[in-house]
Amino acid sequence: MALIVQKFGGTSVGSIERIQQIAKKIKTFKEAGHDLVIVVSAMSGETNRLLGLAKQMSVKPNLRELDVMVSTGEQVTIALLAIALNDLGVAARSYTGGQVRIVTDSVHTKARILHIDDQRIRADLKANSVVIVAGFQGIDEEGNITTLGRGGSDTTGVALAAALKADECQIYTDVDGVYTTDPRVEPKARRLDKITFEEMLEMASLGSKVLQIRSVEFAGKYNVPLRVLHSFKEGPGTLITIDEEVSMEQPIISGIAFSRDEAKLTIRGVPDTPGVASNILGPISNANIEVDMIIQNISQDKTTDFTFTVSRSDYQMAFDILKETASKISAKEVAGNLDIAKVSLVGVGMRSHAGVASRMFGVLAKEGINILMISTSEIKISVLIEEKYLELAVRSLHKAFELDVPDKTLG
Ligand code: ADP
Ligand code: ASP
Ligand code: MG
């Protein structure tokens, strides 16, 4: 008998029928004698629908109110699932994040979990009840409803598993595991049996939305055994593990991540004096905007061009701040570009293999894809390219690094 936290994503609870199917699945686990804490997302499309309503009301909705509204999606699914389980004769109780006391900071729409009160959950488990918790939401110290950022139900699941010292956290979704790249873009992508926390963290932070990045951070920090599985198909899924034994057959690259959520900003003709980077990026970071890639070029006239990338949702705010900075520091102009994307190779095998970057650049050059920016770390290489080349880049890299599923028809 184990304590298992199971998280079901939006498509898995996307209709009444699916919620009934999930309830049956949970019943089977319960009958096998496990203690179960279930985390659910809103029905697929619901969070976007709610956000759309707020956008109709105001171009810049108040973030506290946005959280009050957008958290309702998950409140519906927890109750529906509890009703479905009760109908199957399974004792189940649903809780919002606030009711559990998943306490977060007060950064609305991207709050971080500070601590979780496990009393209520433990009492219900002791009474042999299935506990259902709304994903994606919490409450701050003042009692305001907060949300954890898009895809945040994964983080609720892993954080609960950590707080309860669960035996495993299972993330049920619409793919049967973590693949070498998003199978929607490359149908030849392969399911991985295992991936290290470190690699998964890079994959998630570089755009693979199969797991929210904070959920992987939590799992790594608290050593929560984490598995990604298909909600409606049997299979071993993918285990996220600390085991980093790189076997001889292990490919150098474990996966390819990509992100369209990129925006590039350039400030040109900045007088080149000490403190330039801090003058430009200080106000951006003060506005809570995360900067990703950065390049600075010095030209002969002793001025510098400074380019950096931010997430698309922060683009407008970053642009306005940069315009203000430009007039303060007598820069020539500010330019921006949203038609870009980032493609990254990830793999712990890179540590022991030289030449991955040049091979990557060679593959892109052969396809006529221009590289706009590059950044590297020990286990990843990222390039920024024009968005129109994204699929081509992912597929040609997938093939060149021998990640394609073997073609069975050729024997
Ligand atoms: P859920 O609603 O269950 O949280 P998500 O849509 O957030 O599901 O995440 C699952 C999706 O992640 C898949 O449908 C797939 O398109 C996408 N995805 C991106 N990268 C990968 C990858 N490397 N492996 C598997 N799925 C991936
Ligand atoms: N419903 C939220 C979202 O769509 C959280 C989640 O699904 O994980 O982002
Ligand atoms: Mg998700």
Side-chain angles (χ1 to χ4, degrees):
M1 183 175 127
L3 169 55
I4 307 173
V5 176
Q6 300 182 324
K7 177 258 168 175
F8 292 91
T11 40
S12 316
V13 293
S15 65
I16 292 293
E17 294 70 30
R18 287 196 174 168
I19 294 175
Q20 285 166 333
Q21 254 178 292
I22 297 294
K24 281 189 198 140
K25 191 179 174 100
I26 294 169
K27 184 180 182 191
T28 314
F29 274 105
K30 187 70 194 135
E31 284 170 351
H34 299 305
D35 280 341
L36 297 175
V37 175
I38 311 295
V39 173
V40 281
S41 293
M43 294 168 99
S44 54
E46 180 62 9
T47 308
N48 285 344
R49 188 187 73 84
L50 291 166
L51 287 170
L53 285 178
K55 286 269 151 66
Q56 281 179 47
M57 195 57 79
S58 158
V59 280
K60 221 175 162 193
N62 177 287
L63 298 184
R64 179 188 180 277
E65 304 314 323
L66 208 54
D67 275 351
V68 171
M69 190 185 60
V70 89
S71 63
T72 59
E74 273 72 11
Q75 191 167 337
V76 171
T77 41
I78 52 169
L80 285 173
L81 182 59
I83 293 168
L85 279 164
N86 292 160
D87 260 16
L88 295 174
V90 180
R93 280 163 74 94
S94 69
Y95 294 102
T96 63
Q99 285 174 317
V100 171
R101 285 195 60 75
I102 296 178
V103 180
T104 71
D105 62 21
S106 304
V107 185
H108 287 289
T109 75
K110 39 184 169 185
R112 280 179 183 269
I113 298 177
L114 300 175
H115 58 90
I116 294 179
D117 193 342
D118 63 356
Q119 276 178 12
R120 230 170 167 166
I121 298 180
R122 291 219 186 264
D124 276 355
L125 291 176
K126 214 168 165 198
N128 210 22
S129 188
V130 172
V131 180
I132 305 168
V133 180
F136 177 55
Q137 54 178 263
I139 194 167
D140 73 3
E141 303 278 7
E142 279 78 51
N144 299 298
I145 295 173
T146 54
T147 63
L148 310 178
R150 297 309 302 268
S153 299
D154 296 335
T155 302
T156 307
V158 178
L160 277 170
L164 295 163
K165 298 189 178 56
D167 296 287
E168 185 161 298
C169 180
Q170 301 173 341
I171 305 287
Y172 287 94
T173 182
D174 59 359
V175 267
D176 62 346
V178 178
Y179 275 65
T180 44
T181 193
D182 189 339
R184 284 179 212 243
V185 165
E186 175 50 280
K188 290 184 187 147
R190 268 190 295 123
R191 183 183 58 79
L192 301 164
D193 286 326
K194 274 185 180 183
I195 183 168
T196 66
F197 281 119
E198 210 185 357
E199 288 170 319
M200 194 62 237
L201 200 59
E202 289 285 8
M203 291 282 281
S205 72
L206 295 168
S208 298
K209 67 165 189 164
V210 61
L211 285 174
Q212 199 206 29
I213 175 163
R214 283 188 194 154
S215 71
V216 189
E217 273 169 11
F218 252 103
K221 190 165 166 195
Y222 296 99
N223 214 350
V224 178
L226 182 61
R227 199 180 281 279
V228 176
L229 300 139
H230 199 290
S231 295
F232 304 111
K233 287 184 208 155
E234 290 300 315
T238 300
L239 183 69
I240 327 294
T241 133
I242 43 173
D243 176 11
E244 220 188 84
E245 209 177 277
V246 183
S247 73
M248 293 300 282
E249 292 101 70
Q250 168 110 12
I252 305 164
I253 302 304
S254 294
I256 301 176
F258 57 83
S259 162
R260 290 186 170 88
D261 182 25
E262 304 290 323
K264 184 160 74 87
L265 292 137
T266 300
I267 178 164
R268 291 207 182 91
V270 183
D272 186 27
T273 52
V276 167
S278 144
N279 289 340
I280 294 170
L281 295 182
I284 300 280
S285 109
N286 290 343
N288 238 325
I289 299 173
E290 257 176 67
V291 169
D292 180 19
M293 297 167 133
I294 303 172
I295 20 175
Q296 189 182 352
N297 299 318
I298 313 285
S299 60
Q300 279 173 340
D301 65 355
K302 288 262 168 51
T303 65
T304 171
D305 293 349
F306 197 93
T307 302
F308 58 94
T309 61
V310 297
S311 134
R312 276 188 199 175
S313 56
D314 289 330
Y315 173 74
Q316 198 50 55
M317 207 201 287
F319 191 88
D320 295 345
I321 293 171
L322 206 56
K323 273 268 189 202
E324 220 170 281
T325 307
S327 66
K328 274 192 204 143
I329 62 174
S330 320
K332 275 198 204 101
E333 61 168 338
V334 170
N337 185 354
L338 288 161
D339 304 320
I340 51 165
K342 186 169 66 174
V343 180
S344 312
L345 301 184
V346 175
V348 289
M350 264 187 230
R351 285 203 180 107
S352 47
H353 286 82
V356 179
S358 60
R359 213 165 125 197
M360 178 187 200
F361 305 154
V363 172
L364 297 174
K366 212 170 130 207
E367 299 294 343
I369 301 171
N370 196 23
I371 298 172
L372 308 171
M373 285 171 102
I374 301 169
S375 83
T376 63
S377 81
E378 240 193 330
I379 66 160
K380 73 117 206 261
I381 303 165
S382 301
V383 294
L384 199 73
I385 58 172
E386 280 180 74
E387 187 179 2
K388 64 181 178 192
Y389 294 125
L390 180 63
E391 278 89 359
L392 177 64
V394 170
R395 289 186 196 143
S396 42
L397 289 167
H398 200 268
K399 189 173 167 60
F401 282 90
E402 290 161 24
L403 297 172
D404 284 4
V405 74
D407 189 346
K408 292 192 187 83
T409 55
L410 297 176

